[in-house]
Amino acid sequence: ACRSAQVPVLTWWYDLVTGGDIRLAEQIAPLVDGQIQIDRHVPPCGVQDPSRYVPLWTVHDPRLFYTGTWARPIVVSGVGDWEQPIRQRMRRVLEHAHVPCQFVGGQHHIVPLTEYARTCRHSQMTINTNNHPECAQLKGHVFEGMSCGALVLEQHFDSGSTQHLVTPEAEYLPFRSETELVERIRFCQTHHRYRDGIAEAGARAYHERYSPRQFWHRIFQFVWPTEVV
C-alpha cells in the first residue's frame, strides 16, 4: 500500500549491534527505503548497502528534557537500569567512596517519565555506562543528561560512538575506570566553573546539533535529498 501511494517506509532500530539484529535488518532491507539506527554513529559492519542505513541518535521530549537556570540539588545521578552487574559494581565503588549519587529508574524500579526527567534536570552531573557484550552502544542517557544541562560522565570504549558526536573533555567527560570516575566527580565538586562550563557546552551541542528538530531534518534529507534545504 505504501509503495502504491509513494509513501516512504523506514524502520527504526534501538539495538543494532548484535549479529542477529543485523541479519534481521538485512532481511527487511529490500522491503523498506531506509533503516534508522540510534545506537551507533556508523552503519553496521558487513551490510550489503550501508547507504540504506541512517545513523542517528536518541531524541527526547523537549517538554520534559530541557535546560535552564534553577537549583540542582542532586550532585550525581544514575538514571536507567542500574541493576545490571557492571553497573552494580560501579555503584558499590561510588558508595564505598561516599560519592552522593542518586539512582532513578530501572526495569525493577520503574518511575514516571516526569520524575525521570526531573532527576536529569536537577542533576549537576550524570553517569552513563555501557555494558553491551559485543559492541559499545550510543546510549540515550548521553542526550538525556546533555539536554537537561547536566555534565555527562561516560564510561569510555574505543568502539563507542559518543566521542564521534560530542567532544571529550570539552562537551562531556569520559572515564576509563571506576577510580577515574570517582576522581573526576570529586574534582568537579570542588571546581564548579570547570564542571558548569563543560555541562553548558554539552547542552549547547545537544540543542544545536542533536535536537528533535535536527533529528527529523536528517530523516527528511535522507528521504527527500533534493527537496530539503
Side-chain angles (χ1 to χ4, degrees):
C2 289
R3 291 291 187 210
S4 62
Q6 297 184 332
V7 175
V9 180
L10 292 89
T11 57
W12 186 313
W13 297 86
Y14 287 90
D15 294 288
L16 200 56
V17 296
T18 64
D21 292 331
I22 295 171
R23 286 191 295 273
L24 179 57
E26 285 290 272
Q27 291 176 9
I28 294 173
L31 306 175
V32 298
D33 297 288
Q35 312 216 56
I36 301 167
Q37 58 175 117
I38 62 173
D39 63 342
R40 292 286 292 157
H41 69 292
V42 291
C45 295
V47 297
Q48 293 187 7
D49 188 357
S51 67
R52 294 172 63 85
Y53 288 81
V54 192
L56 293 176
W57 58 89
T58 306
V59 290
H60 302 286
D61 188 341
R63 296 170 298 182
L64 295 174
F65 295 88
Y66 54 88
T67 190
T69 303
W70 48 66
R72 294 181 180 268
I74 302 173
V75 176
V76 187
S77 66
V79 294
D81 188 1
W82 274 77
E83 291 134 9
Q84 300 172 17
I86 293 177
R87 295 174 180 173
Q88 283 280 23
R89 185 189 69 220
M90 190 174 295
R91 183 171 180 170
R92 288 192 295 269
V93 170
L94 292 170
E95 291 173 348
H96 181 74
H98 303 290
V99 173
C101 192
Q102 182 170 323
F103 299 92
V104 174
Q107 294 182 4
H108 303 295
H109 300 88
I110 298 174
V111 297
L113 188 57
T114 51
E115 180 181 341
Y116 186 99
R118 188 185 305 115
T119 300
C120 293
R121 295 198 306 271
H122 289 177
S123 298
Q124 299 169 18
M125 297 172 273
T126 189
I127 303 169
N128 177 53
T129 68
N130 192 298
N131 62 333
H132 198 282
E134 296 188 26
C135 183
Q137 290 180 292
L138 179 62
K139 295 291 187 179
H141 299 314
V142 173
F143 300 104
E144 288 168 351
M146 288 183 175
S147 65
C148 291
L151 168 61
V152 172
L153 297 138
E154 185 184 61
Q155 182 183 25
H156 177 79
F157 283 89
D158 291 339
S159 63
S161 293
T162 303
Q163 65 265 30
H164 297 280
L165 298 182
V166 288
T167 308
E169 311 295 340
E171 297 173 332
Y172 80 102
L173 292 180
F175 62 91
R176 292 165 176 77
S177 67
E178 287 91 346
T179 300
E180 186 178 17
L181 171 61
V182 171
E183 291 173 351
R184 296 216 137 185
I185 291 173
R186 286 177 172 166
F187 183 86
C188 288
Q189 283 184 279
T190 57
H191 295 78
H192 296 175
R193 288 188 178 181
Y194 173 81
R195 178 198 67 202
D196 294 345
I198 296 178
E200 290 169 5
R204 189 163 53 249
Y206 174 83
H207 292 291
E208 291 179 356
R209 307 200 303 264
Y210 305 112
S211 67
R213 180 182 180 87
Q214 293 292 334
F215 180 92
W216 288 105
H217 183 76
R218 289 275 297 275
I219 291 177
F220 294 152
Q221 281 183 317
F222 177 82
V223 175
W224 299 290
T226 61
E227 298 180 24
V228 178
V229 295

